[in-house]
Amino acid sequence: GLATEAALSMVQLAKRLGLEAVYARCDSRNSASEKLMQRLGLQLADDSGTRCYEKKQETAGELRYEMTL
């Protein structure tokens, strides 16, 4: 889909720019984003983060994925 194409383009750009790694974060409840990061080859690096949503006055877990290029 569109999100996959956009994310793949970002990874390819990072490689062309000579970056050493790519990092991505998502709300732990967002399984679609998590699956996208996994499909791109990113690995779960940390699952202990927290996100704060001030308007809704709620917090949620945050996942951090990374890929060494």
Side-chain angles (χ1 to χ4, degrees), residues 2-65:
L2 185 59
T4 301
E5 290 180 33
L8 184 57
S9 292
M10 294 300 294
V11 171
Q12 291 169 346
L13 176 61
K15 288 179 181 180
R16 284 196 307 270
L17 293 173
L19 300 180
E20 295 180 9
V22 172
Y23 302 93
R25 297 174 184 266
C26 73
D27 186 310
S28 62
R29 301 171 295 183
N30 190 337
S31 61
S33 290
E34 185 176 11
K35 288 176 186 174
L36 171 60
M37 290 185 278
Q38 292 169 348
R39 279 196 310 271
L40 292 174
L42 282 81
Q43 300 293 317
L44 180 63
D46 183 26
D47 64 356
S48 64
T50 303
R51 286 185 167 207
C52 297
Y53 297 97
E54 292 180 24
K55 287 185 179 181
K56 294 182 177 182
Q57 296 185 342
E58 68 180 24
T59 60
E62 181 177 79
L63 305 175
R64 182 172 57 89
Y65 277 75

